[in-house]
Amino acid sequence: NAGVTQTPKFRVLKTGQSMTLLCAQDMNHEYMYWYRQDPGMGLRLIHYSVGEGTTAKGEVPDGYNVSRLKKQNFLLGLESAAPSQTSVYFCASSYHSSQGSDTQYFGPGTRLTVL
Amino acid sequence: SQQGEEDPQALSIQEGENATMNCSYKTSINNLQWYRQNSGRGLVHLILIRSNEREKHSGRLRVTLDTSKKSSSLLITASRAADTASYFCATRWQGAQKLVFGQGTRLTINP
């Protein structure tokens, strides 16, 4: 099993450009998450999904959109990139929390720089 | 705001010594988890402790939870160079569908 994979690994954008980050998981997890990590800070939740076709806002959703059209994929879109969105983005997935095990499995990250 | 706050922010010890990291949180939780992040990598789950548990062990890891003080500690015994990483606590609030991560403790093991 590949676990959680992220595409691309690195990207440089100019201010105002758009892009989509792809996250895929092969563990049949219901829940998927997008985080950003900035120097000296922990992970901040951008958006998450509790199942196919559903999404919800996290702590820092502004400037981002997400879609979960297939259970195994969770897409994060930047409509008009800004320098403040320079960060490392992590995707994670987990089983349904009511099953008692909500351990999150993380992808390797996407390092995004917005000039 | 961040739910979990780790202490210390950075810790440097000699190989073979024990490392202790602490996490404090603000509201009632369902469970508390510890994750490790090696430089440039994603987070890896280490251990989960539920709100009705007081202590758990996994190999060289020992986690305690004191819900009355809203705090947890992670002890790594007989540290190794490979333990050098950042360690994060994450809490699941009661009734919530997501985890909230702290800012992490950067642990350096000196050979």
Side-chain angles (χ1 to χ4, degrees), chain A residues 30-77:
Chain A
E30 288 290 336
Y31 285 28
M32 296 187 75
Y33 314 82
W34 275 108
Y35 295 93
R36 61 177 289 173
Q37 184 177 35
D38 301 293
M41 304 185 72
L43 273 70
R44 292 184 291 171
L45 183 64
I46 304 171
H47 286 281
Y48 64 103
S49 168
V50 301
E52 182 178 324
T54 71
T55 62
K57 293 180 180 180
E59 184 183 357
V60 289
D62 294 343
Y64 305 94
N65 58 74
V66 289
S67 64
R68 183 99 180 269
L69 298 180
K70 294 182 179 180
K71 185 176 184 179
Q72 63 268 34
N73 296 338
F74 195 29
L75 279 63
L76 177 71

Side-chain angles (χ1 to χ4, degrees), chain A residues 31 33 35 37 40-45 48 50 58-59 90 97 100-104 106-108 111, chain B residues 1-2 30-31 33 35 37 40-45 48 50 88 92 96-99 101-104:
Chain A
Y31 285 28
Y33 314 82
Y35 295 93
Q37 184 177 35
M41 304 185 72
L43 273 70
R44 292 184 291 171
L45 183 64
Y48 64 103
V50 301
E59 184 183 357
F90 288 99
S97 63
S101 174
D102 54 3
T103 297
Q104 292 190 10
F106 283 80
R111 185 173 296 275
Chain B
S1 62
Q2 300 279 357
N30 182 287
N31 67 58
Q33 305 179 32
Y35 288 79
Q37 183 181 34
R41 302 287 190 92
L43 278 70
V44 175
H45 179 260
L48 180 153
R50 292 186 170 81
F88 295 88
R92 179 176 295 282
Q97 297 172 317
K98 55 191 186 295
L99 295 177
F101 287 81
Q103 296 183 3

Side-chain angles (χ1 to χ4, degrees), chain A residues 6 8 22 29 38 43 54 65 72 81 86 99 106 112 114:
Chain A
Q6 293 182 230
L22 172 63
H29 286 165
D38 301 293
L43 273 70
T54 71
N65 58 74
Q72 63 268 34
T86 293
Q99 295 177 3
F106 283 80
L112 175 66
V114 183

Side-chain angles (χ1 to χ4, degrees), chain B residues 19-54:
Chain B
T20 300
M21 288 158 273
N22 301 297
C23 172
S24 60
Y25 57 92
K26 298 175 183 176
T27 61
S28 295
I29 60 171
N30 182 287
N31 67 58
L32 185 146
Q33 305 179 32
W34 286 91
Y35 288 79
R36 182 188 74 231
Q37 183 181 34
N38 291 94
S39 182
R41 302 287 190 92
L43 278 70
V44 175
H45 179 260
L46 294 176
I47 195 165
L48 180 153
I49 186 165
R50 292 186 170 81
S51 59
N52 61 352
E53 298 175 314
R54 292 296 169 259

